[in-house]
Amino acid sequence: MCCGDCFVRLSATIQLWCICNRNVFFLRPLAILLLRLFYYVDLVAYSIDPLSFLLKRQKVMKAENFAALGRLILGEYALVAEAIMSPQYRSSYLGIVQLLHHKVAEDFPLFLSDADEVEGRKHKAIHEHLWNTLISAAMLRVEQESTIFKGYISSLVGDSKPSYDAVQSLGESRTPSSDMIQKTVIRYIFHALLGVAPSHRQQEILQELFFTGGLSSYVGGAIKPPICCCCLTCIGSGKRQGLIDQAIEYVINSPGLENYQPVADISKEGFANVMLSAAGIAGCIGSSALLTNIYKEVPKDYVLDVTDSHEVMLTVLEAARIRAPVNTFNFEQAEESKTIRVHHGKEITIGKGTLCGASIALASHDPKVFGDPWTFNPKRENLEAALINFNHVGFSTSGSGTRQCPGRNLVVTMASDLLIALNISK
């Protein structure tokens, strides 16, 4: 344990030095090289359990903000909230990994910088179209075809209930298999957004693209490899592109894009790529994590009034807060200089362009904002006002916001349906 802590201190100290000196001309090459090296070293531990990785480094460095993963990790709620609400310079980062931009949708909103005038206009146009047109139609569809959508959730609960009851008697996890959750999320999200449920084959394609993680998957095949492993980008690329082409065909020919009019000069095929990225990454991967939270984080004996929609929503929001479906988002510092308190109370000044990882997971457990943060408590007075899980400070069902998740109402509705179904089946 001592050796492990010593390595954490050494790693964080070296990375912090690199971050502070990355703009010093003669030190820049060395700083960049070391940051990239420590990124790959840290990535191994982070990929096993992201939250445990971040919490350990907070504890060892005795700081809310610290250097890790080749960047400055912000865990202090105030700094993360400020980053969320400020114009951002973004790049093709997803979580803590960098993607090859030409291998994902060119206009994927998560990668567009609203701090840049040109990209900002495009981001706003796409974001508002998603909110005003596609999401509003999806929510209406879920309401009008409630029997079908609730049926997706009922099937998940019904299929998993035998194992759910059995493991509870043994005091083990009550979560159904990830495969069951993934298939439910794919059916629910894509049907709601596109107006037609995926066929069995289309569902298999979407699941392989967004949940397998291999080199032929949407994200796995786009991860920027180390310089010495650039040949990895070719492995599985043919199969990956074939899967993407079939998924795009499903999206393009769906009722959801039937009357598409160009947004920000993006063609129908280009917007289908945006839709696939948004529905698959933000919609399915994030939603799958939230549904898993409903099983894992909501105590089985928690008393819930399923007829009170607001109480149900708050329970879903607390499940999202206590274990964030999205751990970290990355951005480059937009201000010329900013002072941040880091290791052991030391203050540093970072310059424009510094890569930062804002940790929603750590900030959601900041005891200065959320008292007794590890206790499940949907009745927190500031839960709605302080929640940051949907890329916005505070949660509201109305308004598109600037970078606020446009699909949040759809995701929360699906999670609420699951929570109600689980309580009814007790």
Side-chain angles (χ1 to χ4, degrees):
M1 180 64 71
C2 181
C3 291
D5 289 355
C6 288
F7 176 78
V8 168
R9 292 190 191 96
L10 178 64
S11 169
T13 301
I14 294 175
Q15 290 185 65
L16 188 63
W17 179 88
C18 293
I19 289 167
C20 293
N21 291 280
R22 62 181 292 278
N23 290 326
V24 178
F25 177 73
F26 63 93
L27 294 176
R28 182 175 175 82
L30 176 62
I32 291 175
L33 178 64
L34 288 173
L35 286 173
R36 181 164 288 274
L37 173 64
F38 278 107
Y39 161 70
Y40 287 111
V41 171
D42 284 351
L43 184 60
V44 175
Y46 180 88
S47 61
I48 297 171
D49 189 338
L51 185 56
S52 294
F53 173 92
L54 297 172
L55 288 170
K56 179 175 181 179
R57 276 145 186 77
Q58 260 196 346
K59 180 181 179 181
V60 172
M61 300 312 298
K62 299 178 181 178
E64 294 177 288
N65 316 300
F66 51 90
L69 293 157
R71 68 210 68 193
L72 184 62
I73 300 294
L74 306 178
E76 185 179 355
Y77 178 90
L79 291 176
V80 175
E82 180 184 2
I84 288 173
M85 299 306 287
S86 300
Q88 299 172 8
Y89 281 108
R90 302 293 288 266
S91 187
S92 52
Y93 283 96
L94 189 64
I96 50 86
V97 298
Q98 186 173 14
L99 306 185
L100 296 167
H101 206 156
H102 68 277
K103 289 217 164 195
V104 294
E106 179 182 356
D107 299 308
F108 185 28
L110 285 180
F111 299 159
L112 296 177
S113 303
D114 57 337
D116 177 87
E117 184 176 352
V118 176
E119 285 193 8
R121 286 198 298 268
K122 180 175 283 190
H123 177 276
K124 182 178 180 181
I126 296 171
H127 191 268
E128 290 188 350
H129 181 73
L130 288 171
W131 172 258
N132 293 323
T133 304
L134 293 171
I135 296 299
S136 61
M139 294 304 297
L140 182 61
R141 192 171 291 120
V142 169
E143 181 181 353
Q144 293 178 340
E145 302 175 26
S146 61
T147 302
I148 295 175
F149 287 94
K150 283 180 170 39
Y152 294 149
I153 299 300
S154 296
S155 294
L156 172 64
V157 174
D159 291 344
S160 64
K161 194 172 191 308
S163 59
Y164 173 100
D165 292 336
V167 298
Q168 279 303 296
S169 64
L170 300 175
E172 299 173 3
S173 171
R174 58 187 168 119
T175 310
S177 70
S178 56
D179 179 73
M180 294 167 66
I181 291 177
Q182 291 164 11
K183 287 176 178 176
T184 300
V185 168
I186 288 171
R187 283 195 292 265
Y188 196 110
I189 294 293
F190 276 91
H191 185 177
L193 289 174
L194 301 180
V196 59
S199 67
H200 179 71
R201 177 55 187 154
Q202 288 166 341
Q203 180 175 284
E204 288 181 335
I205 289 169
L206 293 169
Q207 190 170 13
E208 184 167 357
L209 277 174
F210 295 105
F211 288 107
T212 58
L215 291 175
S216 61
S217 72
Y218 193 86
V219 174
I223 293 175
K224 185 176 182 179
I227 294 175
C228 60
C229 302
C230 286
C231 60
L232 288 176
T233 59
C234 299
I235 300 175
S237 59
K239 179 182 179 182
R240 176 181 181 271
Q241 190 57 53
L243 294 172
I244 291 174
D245 289 344
Q246 292 179 73
I248 291 295
E249 184 179 6
Y250 160 52
V251 176
I252 267 187
N253 295 321
S254 69
L257 263 67
E258 185 177 8
N259 299 314
Y260 174 76
Q261 298 296 319
V263 176
D265 296 324
I266 301 173
S267 67
K268 187 174 184 178
E269 183 176 358
F271 199 81
N273 271 281
V274 172
M275 279 294 298
L276 180 64
S277 297
I281 295 174
C284 289
I285 297 176
S287 298
S288 179
L290 182 56
L291 292 201
T292 301
N293 283 1
I294 297 299
Y295 278 98
K296 285 187 173 182
E297 305 300 336
V298 181
K300 188 181 180 184
D301 58 356
Y302 183 75
V303 179
L304 177 69
D305 180 1
V306 296
T307 65
D308 187 333
S309 60
H310 188 250
E311 183 178 338
V312 172
M313 183 190 75
L314 290 177
T315 306
V316 170
L317 298 185
E318 176 68 353
R321 182 204 66 81
I322 206 162
R323 184 170 287 274
V326 176
N327 271 298
T328 305
F329 69 89
N330 296 274
F331 66 98
E332 294 179 1
Q333 174 64 29
E335 300 175 49
E336 291 297 330
S337 66
K338 187 175 184 64
T339 300
I340 295 176
R341 188 179 298 276
V342 290
H343 310 166
H344 305 289
K346 177 183 177 181
E347 288 189 345
I348 64 166
T349 299
I350 59 174
K352 186 175 182 177
T354 300
L355 179 62
C356 298
S359 176
I360 293 172
L362 292 179
S364 294
H365 291 91
D366 189 334
K368 298 190 300 294
V369 179
F370 300 104
D372 198 8
W374 292 100
T375 298
F376 185 84
N377 179 17
K379 294 181 172 60
R380 295 175 186 277
E381 291 184 2
N382 67 340
L383 181 58
E384 283 183 272
L387 193 81
I388 53 174
N389 292 91
F390 294 92
N391 211 25
H392 190 78
V393 177
F395 180 86
S396 172
T397 57
S398 61
S400 63
T402 302
R403 301 198 73 95
Q404 190 172 14
C405 173
R408 65 191 184 279
N409 290 343
L410 179 60
V411 174
V412 170
T413 297
M414 178 171 58
S416 296
D417 287 347
L418 174 60
L419 189 58
I420 292 170
L422 284 172
N423 275 264
I424 291 174
S425 69
K426 283 182 180 179

